[in-house]
Amino acid sequence: MPVPRTPRWKPLACAAAGLLLTGLAGLATQGPAAAAPEPAGTLPERSAATTTAPRDAATAALDASYYQDAVGKTGDALRSALHAIVSDQRTLSYAQVWDALKATDEDPADPANVVLLYTGRSQSKQAHGGSTGDWNREHVWPQSRGGFGTAAGPGTDLHHLRPADVTVNGIRGNKDFDLGGSPVAGAAGNLTDADSFEPRDAVKGDVARMVFYMAVRYEGGDGFADLEVNDRVDNGSAPLTGRLSVLRQWHAADPPDAFEKRRNDVIHDDYQQNRNPFVDHPEWVAHIW
């Protein structure tokens, strides 16, 4: 199983145009400053992750092989290239998803547990099922939005399936993603109302990138619906998920962390042999949407 990668810190921004190079060198030796807590219901300003391509050795290697047909493209050409790349995948049965999630979402602090998406709770891998207190398989892109159910393909695609508390999963249902609402009992930081769900801050970007992946991966081929992201809520059973403007904000505010990057590696290396390109190249979201 791949070893989690060390997170890449974002470069420090310099506000003073005349700052000496020696001063910059001194700053480079310091760790990132702790961020002040955000008031409830607010998001940090747009992150450089949406506009600046990561260029570490691992990304460079992927660009020279896996993403070689997408590098340098933008707009529809980029989307088309990514669709062709990520569509080359191995599919799982819905029963196989149980064991796969035990590997993809393993708690790095306790290998016997998985980390649940919305609550952040670390829970025994074996405590899954349909009873209160169990974890089950959450479709971040709702099964009803495209009518794929649990079919091999979108219904079993690990890039949008996550372990989640049974009760919280039921509260989320097939609601679109948006800001606001009332607190979700037993899931601190999550909010919901009649037609939308807001996940906790630590996974807002994860949710957005899963939705963006699904919209690029499933374009109406393979016998499945063409999934699209729009800028509204209350999409019913249409193959649409929103709200795009909010998902873009979440993607910017919560860049991929070590857990999400490791998850992408495990899915590619051990299960589906495809990747979520927006985890590897966060800037590609702005190039498509």
Side-chain angles (χ1 to χ4, degrees):
M1 184 172 294
V3 178
R5 301 178 191 161
T6 302
R8 297 184 293 277
W9 299 113
K10 291 177 285 186
L12 294 171
C14 176
L19 189 63
L20 295 175
L21 292 176
T22 52
L24 285 174
L27 284 173
T29 63
Q30 301 176 16
E38 289 291 332
T42 66
L43 288 167
E45 292 182 0
R46 186 174 179 82
S47 165
T50 61
T51 57
T52 304
R55 294 302 304 171
D56 65 5
T59 303
L62 286 170
D63 288 353
S65 54
Y66 189 74
Y67 292 122
Q68 61 179 330
D69 292 335
V71 172
K73 295 179 179 177
T74 190
D76 290 342
L78 174 60
R79 181 170 184 153
S80 179
L82 291 178
H83 170 70
I85 291 167
V86 302
S87 295
D88 183 10
Q89 73 178 94
R90 187 171 63 124
T91 58
L92 282 68
S93 71
Y94 199 46
Q96 289 174 316
V97 169
W98 285 120
D99 286 336
L101 292 180
K102 295 174 185 177
T104 60
D105 291 75
E106 180 177 285
D107 184 349
D110 187 347
N113 288 6
V114 291
V115 179
L116 307 192
L117 176 62
Y118 298 129
T119 61
R121 187 171 75 240
S122 179
Q123 183 157 322
S124 169
K125 292 178 177 179
Q126 309 311 316
H128 63 77
S131 301
T132 301
D134 287 344
W135 64 267
N136 62 1
R137 298 160 290 188
E138 155 72 329
H139 291 78
V140 173
W141 189 290
Q143 297 165 276
S144 62
R145 302 284 177 80
F148 50 76
T150 59
T156 65
D157 196 316
L158 295 173
H159 284 298
H160 85 120
L161 283 162
R162 299 290 293 265
D165 177 86
V166 166
T167 301
V168 178
N169 193 357
I171 292 171
R172 189 267 156 139
N174 71 345
K175 295 174 182 176
D176 291 280
F177 294 108
D178 200 1
L179 294 168
S182 301
V184 176
N190 296 263
L191 303 171
T192 192
D193 57 23
D195 56 16
S196 72
F197 189 90
E198 178 181 349
R200 60 193 177 100
D201 288 348
V203 296
K204 279 181 164 69
D206 306 53
V207 165
R209 286 180 285 275
M210 286 186 275
V211 170
F212 293 141
Y213 162 85
M214 291 293 284
V216 165
R217 168 60 185 89
Y218 298 99
E219 296 276 25
D222 304 335
F224 299 112
D226 180 6
L227 307 183
E228 296 292 344
V229 189
N230 68 354
D231 201 33
R232 57 168 292 176
V233 296
D234 200 16
N235 278 300
S237 60
L240 303 166
T241 290
R243 177 183 301 260
L244 174 59
S245 57
V246 172
L247 291 168
R248 282 177 50 111
Q249 291 175 22
W250 292 354
H251 168 67
D254 175 35
D257 59 13
F259 186 92
E260 191 179 0
K261 293 172 188 175
R262 176 193 172 275
R263 188 175 198 278
N264 201 22
D265 288 338
V266 172
I267 293 173
H268 173 268
D269 297 345
D270 299 338
Y271 294 98
Q272 295 185 181
Q273 281 83 62
N274 75 339
R275 306 182 66 83
N276 183 334
F278 306 112
V279 175
D280 297 320
H281 274 282
E283 77 281 0
W284 281 345
V285 169
H287 292 175
I288 295 175
W289 289 283

